[in-house]
């Protein structure tokens, strides 16, 4: 169950990131993030009210709030990088960083996956490295500031993964509600400080709303995946989200992938099988 939920997380995260990146091309990344996260917040409020879960403990709410800070800053950095650089490079860089940190955390906390799973995790890191062009094969070089933003996004996303993993199983969807109750006001402050137009319209509004809905689904599936599986395994599978982002970027936006990057996509699929079996 944890593997299936983590796979759903990866697919949905990838589509959400593509949508947010597309919206950020014609609107400020802060405004896109605010619109998407606000819709996500509204959806989660409705779900919590419908499900009627008892209020989570202070421990769970505080951890989720920390995740909310990391998530909002991560999305701001990630969408900015996506709007300024190639999606086929930015998304994998963020994924690589967002994978390594939770995996190290999980292993340091005493998690011990099977031998096959370890091999699958190594293949996953190789996959992201190939797609990211860590070996310098890609024809188009990505400027250092964009790489720095992508890395920052990955570090912030790792905070979400770790924070949600440490919430209680009986907390229901309250961690997501606490996460959004912090991230939305924080992003609003950033938008007001930036003094950039808040209103979105046309294509940018459509993609921003799509990213918000999908982000809610992805966070929810990750939350339950982390509760049913090892963080070191769930984080690896969830980190394969660049595959769906790249497929959309190459088919819809006609971005070019080097052969080594396609090999990386194949390695990602192999890693998924190995981690699932292990």
């Amino acid at each position: 169950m944890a593997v299936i939920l983590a796979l759903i997380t990866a697919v949905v995260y990838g589509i959400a990131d593509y949508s947010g990146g597309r919206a950020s091309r014609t609107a400020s990344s802060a405004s896109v993030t605010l619109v998407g996260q606000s819709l996500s917040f509204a959806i989660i409020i409705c779900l919590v009210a419908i499900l009627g879960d008892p209020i989570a403990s202070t421990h769970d709410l505080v951890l989720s709030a920390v995740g909310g800070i990391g998530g909002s800053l991560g999305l701001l950095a990630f969408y900015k990088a996506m709007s300024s650089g190639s999606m086929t490079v930015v998304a994998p860089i963020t994924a690589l960083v967002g994978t390594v940190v939770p995996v190290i955390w999980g292993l340091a906390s005493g998690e011990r996956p099977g031998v096959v799973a370890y091999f699958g995790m190594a293949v996953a890191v190789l996959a992201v490295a190939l797609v990211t062009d860590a070996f310098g094969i890609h024809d188009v070089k990505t400027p250092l500031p964009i790489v720095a933003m992508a890395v920052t996004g990955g570090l912030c996303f790792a905070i979400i993964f770790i924070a949600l993993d440490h919430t209680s199983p009986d907390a229901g969807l309250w961690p997501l509600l606490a996460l959004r109750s912090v991230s939305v006001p924080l992003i609003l402050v950033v938008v007001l400080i930036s003094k950039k137009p808040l209103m979105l319209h046309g294509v940018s509004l459509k993609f921003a709303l799509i990213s918000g809905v999908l982000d809610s689904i992805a966070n929810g599936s990750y939350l339950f995946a982390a509760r049913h599986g090892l963080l070191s395994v769930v984080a690896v599978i969830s980190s394969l989200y660049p595959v769906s982002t790249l497929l959309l970027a190459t088919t819809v936006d006609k971005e070019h992938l080097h052969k080594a990057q396609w090999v990386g996509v194949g390695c990602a699929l192999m890693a998924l099988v190995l981690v699932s079996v292990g």
Side-chain angles (χ1 to χ4, degrees):
M1 178 61 70
V3 171
I4 294 175
L5 289 172
L7 178 58
I8 293 173
T9 300
V11 173
V12 178
Y13 263 144
I15 301 174
D17 288 344
Y18 170 82
S19 301
R22 278 293 301 272
S24 299
R25 290 179 177 177
T26 54
S28 72
S29 57
S31 296
V32 170
T33 306
L34 178 61
V35 170
Q37 295 297 288
S38 296
L39 177 57
S40 174
F41 191 20
I43 293 173
I44 295 171
I45 290 176
C46 293
L47 290 175
V48 170
I50 292 172
L51 295 175
D53 292 327
I55 299 177
S57 66
T58 302
H59 172 269
D60 291 334
L61 296 178
V62 171
L63 273 179
S64 303
V66 172
I69 296 174
S72 56
L73 296 178
L75 282 176
L76 289 172
F78 182 63
Y79 285 164
K80 180 63 176 177
M82 290 273 275
S83 66
S84 305
S86 171
M87 287 190 185
T88 56
V89 175
V90 172
I93 291 176
T94 302
L96 178 61
V97 176
T99 302
V100 172
V101 175
V103 167
I104 293 176
W105 183 282
L107 295 178
S109 301
E111 294 184 356
R112 294 296 179 265
V115 176
V116 177
Y118 275 116
F119 183 66
M121 291 159 65
V123 174
V125 173
L126 174 62
V128 178
L130 285 171
V131 175
T132 307
D133 188 41
F135 305 112
I137 303 174
H138 201 283
D139 298 328
V140 180
K141 300 303 178 183
T142 303
L144 185 58
I146 295 178
V147 173
M149 284 189 289
V151 171
T152 300
L155 289 172
C156 292
F157 290 156
I159 294 175
I160 297 181
F161 292 155
I162 295 172
L164 291 181
D165 178 68
H166 283 72
T167 58
S168 304
D170 58 355
L173 293 179
W174 278 95
L176 298 185
L177 183 61
L179 188 149
R180 288 287 171 263
S181 66
V182 172
S183 65
V184 171
L186 179 58
I187 296 170
L188 177 59
V189 171
V190 173
V191 171
L192 295 176
I193 293 176
S194 66
K195 296 181 179 180
K196 293 184 177 180
L198 174 60
M199 298 300 295
L200 303 180
H201 60 276
V203 176
S204 60
L205 177 59
K206 179 183 71 174
F207 277 113
L209 293 176
I210 291 174
S211 69
V213 173
L214 295 180
D215 188 63
S216 297
I217 297 173
N219 281 335
S221 60
Y222 177 83
L223 177 64
F224 290 106
R227 288 174 179 173
H228 291 86
L230 299 178
L231 174 63
S232 54
V233 173
V234 170
V236 168
I237 297 176
S238 300
S239 73
L240 298 177
Y241 66 82
V243 174
S244 53
T245 303
L246 297 188
L247 291 177
L248 285 171
T250 53
T251 55
V252 179
D253 298 336
K254 307 303 179 183
E255 287 194 17
H256 175 68
L257 280 186
H258 193 278
K259 289 182 179 179
Q261 291 177 299
W262 282 115
V263 172
V265 173
C267 288
L269 298 176
M270 182 187 301
L272 174 61
V273 174
L274 292 172
V275 172
S276 302
V277 173

